[in-house]
Amino acid sequence: MKITLQTVMGLKQVVGQRLVEIDLPQGSTVEDFVAYMKKRWGDKLSPHLIDPQNNQVHPHVRIMVNGQTIQFLNGMQTLLNDGDEVVILPLVSGG
Amino acid sequence: MYSGGYAGKILRINLTERTSKEEPLQEQLARDFIGGAGFAIKYLFDEVKAGTDPLGPDNKLIFACGPFTGAGVPCSSRMSVAGKSPLTGAVGLALSGGHFPAEMKYAGWDVIIIEGRAEKPTYVAITGNSVRFRDAARIWGTLTFDCQQIIKDELQDQNVRISCIGPAGERLCRIAGIINERRALGRKGLGAVMGSKNLKAIAIRGKESIPIASEERYRKSRAALLKAFKESPVLYPEFAQHGTPMVVEVTSAMGILSAKNWTATGQFVPEGLSLESQTTRKIGKEHCHDCPVGCSQLKMARRGDYAGILSEGPDFETIYAFGSNNGIDDIDSVIAADRLADELGLDSVSSGVTIGFAMECFEKGILTLKDTDGIDLRFGNDAAMMKVLRKMAFRDGIGDLLADGSLAAARKIGKGTEKFAIQIKGLELAAYDVRGAKAHGLNYATAYTGADHCRGYAFQEIFGVPVPHPVDRLAIEGKGKLTVWNQDIQAVTCDCAPMCKFLLDMAIPQIACQNTADLMEAITGLPFTPEEVMRVGERLTNVAKAFNVREGFTRADDTFPERLMTEPLKAGASKGQLISKKDLDAMLDEYYSERGWDVKTGMPTRAKLAELGLEYIADALNL
């Protein structure tokens, strides 16, 4: 299934563009999605997504699936479907 | 009695009589309102009667600082300016950082109240206790940056701090702001109030220092604050480098970066306004007084007709107002418009949103080339935006139609245009399409100044900060309670004490009340608990609400432009979202209930006002 990844700022620099299409097997979860990202982009994700101390997503990074923060879905176990859009946001402020 | 923090004096300037007098700052006022917006709004309620003409001599302009300002608290050089808003008819409150606020304290003043109307153009030069009324005939008509330089030269003091108006304020444009150095007390039309008083500028200079009640306790509290700054994952690593413009990409990804007068949110992708495009324009940064962060970005336009134009900013709100909201995806145009608005003394948000409204009218054929002085006012036409912006400040042709904001323009144009004037209580909406951020929307609907992001910014929804708890931005339930918390904590910590708004969500959300209480006690000697700190925020909000109620505002005014309630977002990560009238009513019910106000009318109750020690306000409202 095809999942669209949308990134901003530093993570966008790492993945190379704002929108990236990612192919994953049916039944994949957000956890699988992040694992795919780790495999593809490796240590470059450290400052923007993965905490190298514990290999987990930084607590201040927000992951959204179709606009909803996964915390209000099923967390990292949220199931993805074909055509879903995953947005990964760093902590920012101002405005 | 307080023994530090405050200058201890209030300066009352009467422009009609060309007199000034000093009054003591009463301890009870300090205990009840702490400072800044608390002082300003208390004086506004007490001294500006119901029905006062905002552009008449009986309106007042009240500049107020808090006890942290000038005392060395990091990021505390902020001042509040209040008056009855000529744009909304409600409380007009604007805040600004920079150096003027600290200088005002060093000059020995916690509050400066401007009354009356000068017979002819005047500026006021304050040096400590000396107040001079100076002829402003020579500088009347100048742009704001030139005005400040001429005054500095005239006073032979290049370090004097100045707040002034430009041509827009002189012409009583109801979206005119007051410009303080290169910063703006932008919103609610307080520049027009200053213009109505024939007051071109206030120049201030001081040499006093601010005493601290307990140096030891102060050092401890200040250290706790600075530790939180350093531990923030965003304050120094990101915010100090990029400032507020980094919010452009995040809100765009969330599908809430408002575009084309709120018709194309989620569809408009701001590639030309991205952080990369902005980084290539950055030539430096600015710090407010006592600020270790320095979020203000100096940018220079690089291409085309605007190459070489410099601006301190544009900040996120201005990028929205002159950029995405007008369909302009070019940072150079936005830098140039930001600079022009500051020079003309126009609020960039209200100006940009009002031009966006006119662009929609033009694209719908409601305004034609005949109405626009031949200007092709389509979305995306940056040259047209620049022309109209200038015309607004001089009330020239189409500019005169738009100079008083979108609601006034819609009322003149008619033809149902009021439905897409993006304003609440007359104040144009700040950025963030709140159809995808419900508490942020409820704050726009209920803020006492109109659609104002500076009152109860829902950083939980926009940035995902989980304080006081994690928040689902798309949910309706719980947003009333959250908005009350947001409005009150921001009122007291950011607007009264005061501290920079950006610290609250980025560095100190969990310790803000405790730290404010600790600093208050250390600096002023007045004992405060975190609960009492929050109570000050609540008190301030109630006084401001009472001012509006006295002016005739009701629950019906706590609403949205029709578009937000009837047109779902068409694309992006918030696709399908809106805030229906039913959802708004549910949030309002919860909000008023949480406030202890009458749910039916949205008015404060006598019981709530009495609980806050404001019985005299209950009497004034005949409750």
Side-chain angles (χ1 to χ4, degrees), chain B residues 5-10 25 29-30 33-40 43 62-71 76-82 93-113 185 204 210 494-499 520:
Chain B
Y6 299 103
K9 294 182 300 179
I10 291 164
L25 177 75
L29 184 71
F33 292 94
I34 291 183
F39 289 173
Y43 275 104
I62 304 155
F63 290 68
C65 292
F68 291 7
T69 303
S76 65
S77 183
R78 298 188 83 213
M79 65 178 164
S80 296
V81 181
L93 176 73
L95 286 95
S96 170
H99 298 270
F100 188 108
E103 199 71 30
M104 183 170 143
K105 291 288 293 288
Y106 299 148
W109 307 109
D110 296 303
V111 181
I112 299 174
I113 302 173
L185 295 143
I204 199 156
I210 303 300
C494 306
D495 300 347
C496 293
M499 286 184 69
M520 273 302 292

Side-chain angles (χ1 to χ4, degrees), chain B residues 40-102:
Chain B
I41 288 172
K42 170 75 162 70
Y43 275 104
L44 184 70
F45 184 90
D46 290 354
E47 299 192 4
V48 176
K49 291 178 185 164
T52 295
D53 175 3
L55 299 179
D58 293 336
N59 197 8
K60 299 191 181 188
L61 262 186
I62 304 155
F63 290 68
C65 292
F68 291 7
T69 303
V73 177
C75 309
S76 65
S77 183
R78 298 188 83 213
M79 65 178 164
S80 296
V81 181
K84 182 177 176 182
S85 166
L87 183 62
T88 65
V91 170
L93 176 73
L95 286 95
S96 170
H99 298 270
F100 188 108

Side-chain angles (χ1 to χ4, degrees), chain B residues 496-554:
Chain B
C496 293
M499 286 184 69
C500 177
K501 286 265 183 211
F502 302 131
L503 300 178
L504 181 68
D505 52 302
M506 253 181 278
I508 59 165
Q510 281 155 323
I511 64 165
C513 280
Q514 182 67 58
N515 193 254
T516 300
D518 292 346
L519 281 168
M520 273 302 292
E521 202 160 333
I523 292 171
T524 69
L526 298 174
F528 268 91
T529 65
E531 293 73 25
E532 285 165 341
V533 165
M534 274 301 269
R535 188 45 69 108
V536 171
E538 184 183 15
R539 189 175 290 117
L540 160 59
T541 306
N542 273 264
V543 175
K545 179 72 176 183
F547 181 92
N548 290 353
V549 167
R550 199 172 60 178
E551 293 290 340
F553 286 84
T554 68

Side-chain angles (χ1 to χ4, degrees), chain A residues 9 12 62 67 91-94, chain B residues 234 249 462-463 471 473 505 573:
Chain A
M9 297 171 53
K12 183 169 72 175
R62 265 187 302 172
L91 180 59
V92 301
S93 189
Chain B
V234 67
E249 291 192 33
I462 309 295
F463 304 130
V471 171
R473 71 184 173 107
D505 52 302

Side-chain angles (χ1 to χ4, degrees), chain B residues 140-159:
Chain B
W140 198 254
T142 54
L143 302 181
T144 59
F145 292 7
D146 291 335
C147 168
Q148 293 180 65
Q149 188 55 54
I150 293 169
I151 290 174
K152 286 178 178 181
D153 292 344
E154 192 165 290
L155 297 176
Q156 298 182 336
D157 183 354
Q158 295 302 312
N159 292 317

